[in-house]
Amino acid sequence: MCRVDSTDGVCIKHLVWSQDAVGIRFSHTKNDQDGSKNFKPRHCYTNPEDFALCPITALFEYMTCFSEILQDTDCLLFPGAEQED
């Protein structure tokens, strides 16, 4: 689970695909504010039992609906102003 201030800075280039999971590399965490440690990505796994609850399916549908975010790997995954609100 992540905080809003962590997820609003996630870019497409931070996504790392590994078999049936997607990993997200965060540039800094609560215990590493300057990003000097090399943390392993945090993973989200598929849910083959119920696709309505599958985060990978939801991410695919989101990227399909907002395909302009795929044009640039430095683009934010969730663009917009005031995401914390």
Side-chain angles (χ1 to χ4, degrees), residues 17-55:
W17 295 94
S18 172
Q19 296 179 358
D20 65 343
V22 62
I24 303 172
R25 295 184 188 267
F26 290 97
S27 58
H28 67 276
T29 58
K30 185 177 179 180
N31 59 353
D32 182 28
Q33 292 296 313
D34 61 356
S36 61
K37 298 178 185 175
N38 188 9
F39 285 104
K40 294 180 181 178
R42 296 182 183 178
H43 287 88
C44 295
Y45 293 91
T46 59
N47 184 348
E49 300 294 324
D50 188 356
F51 289 106
L53 300 176
C54 179

Side-chain angles (χ1 to χ4, degrees), residues 9 12 22 25 27 40 43-44 47-49 51 54-55 57-59 61-63 65 69-70 74-75 78 80 82 84:
I12 300 297
V22 62
R25 295 184 188 267
S27 58
K40 294 180 181 178
H43 287 88
C44 295
N47 184 348
E49 300 294 324
F51 289 106
C54 179
T57 303
L59 182 62
E61 290 177 354
Y62 173 77
M63 289 180 171
C65 291
I69 64 172
L70 299 174
D74 290 328
C75 180
F78 304 108
E82 302 176 11
E84 294 181 14

